[in-house]
Amino acid sequence: MDQATAYRLFHEMNQLALSELIDYTSNNIPVATEKIDRSVFSGADQRTNDALCDFSRRNGLKPVGEESPEDLSVVRSGNYVTIDSIDGSGHYLKHVEGARAKKLQVPHIDPELGDNFDYAVIIGIVENGRPRFGSYFSYVSGELIMVDSDSINHTVWERGSNLNLYLGEKANYTENRVELGIN
């Protein structure tokens, strides 16, 4: 996959996730459910995960969604897209609680919570067993960072309509749920 295609897919996936999140939050009261690893998720996590996985399949990408059944064969194939549809679900739930209490028009953002309560959709494309492209989209600030493993010069940081070069030198993956096979 070339960079232009990956970045276009990221834009489309992020907008789809945001649309699904807003629709779900406008029509439902999200309830926290605890997963086996003690992290929380809600129906919004599942809905956005399912929409992004369906979109991925329609675009020829095999998805590995955080809220999807574990399928190690997809990971072993070496060609897939990873999806965390709401990274920071606890923060999402806190935002919704605050927005509802204040009767705000935007159902998923309580502006008083600040940067410490960000939550995002995180997507990664793996090709031939190698992380190739990545995307981070903040539901709260609208910030979008897209990375290309071939060169730091291909990394973009978008916030609103401004397009800037993001000069971060590296990103690290950390995982505290090592007991799960998919990790």
Side-chain angles (χ1 to χ4, degrees):
M1 176 179 302
D2 63 33
Q3 181 196 64
T5 301
Y7 285 11
R8 177 186 55 78
L9 287 172
F10 288 151
H11 277 281
E12 291 175 17
M13 292 174 81
N14 292 328
Q15 289 309 302
L16 172 62
L18 179 60
S19 175
E20 293 291 328
L21 179 87
I22 290 171
D23 186 64
Y24 181 88
T25 306
S26 297
N27 295 302
N28 298 279
I29 297 174
V31 176
T33 304
E34 192 171 287
K35 295 192 281 190
I36 193 168
D37 65 3
R38 305 191 72 166
S39 63
V40 297
F41 77 106
S42 72
D45 292 81
Q46 192 65 58
R47 179 162 167 183
T48 53
N49 178 83
D50 293 349
L52 291 174
C53 287
D54 290 344
F55 177 90
S56 298
R57 282 189 281 281
R58 287 192 311 273
N59 283 276
L61 299 168
K62 294 182 261 182
V64 176
E66 184 175 10
E67 309 307 335
S68 299
E70 192 173 289
D71 187 351
L72 292 175
S73 67
V74 172
V75 175
R76 289 185 182 118
S77 77
N79 296 295
Y80 54 93
V81 58
T82 61
I83 299 167
D84 187 348
S85 61
I86 304 179
D87 182 61
S89 299
H91 292 176
Y92 159 72
L93 293 166
K94 189 84 170 154
H95 270 278
V96 171
E97 178 183 310
R100 284 185 190 274
K102 296 174 178 82
K103 297 181 178 13
L104 299 175
Q105 292 290 352
V106 181
H108 67 287
I109 298 176
D110 178 351
E112 292 180 16
L113 289 178
D115 293 342
N116 291 332
F117 287 90
D118 197 10
Y119 59 100
V121 56
I122 300 175
I123 306 165
I125 297 173
V126 176
E127 291 182 334
N128 300 316
R130 177 178 163 246
R132 185 63 183 92
F133 301 102
S135 169
Y136 166 93
F137 174 70
S138 167
Y139 288 111
V140 178
S141 69
E143 177 181 36
L144 171 63
I145 300 171
M146 296 180 293
V147 297
D148 177 339
S149 66
D150 277 352
S151 173
I152 192 169
N153 295 325
H154 299 160
T155 303
V156 294
W157 175 20
E158 298 179 14
R159 190 174 198 138
S161 62
N162 296 328
L163 180 64
N164 302 296
L165 181 63
Y166 182 74
L167 295 176
E169 291 190 20
K170 58 185 164 187
N172 294 311
Y173 173 78
T174 59
E175 180 56 66
N176 61 353
R177 298 171 285 194
V178 295
E179 73 280 356
L180 301 175
I182 199 79
N183 294 323

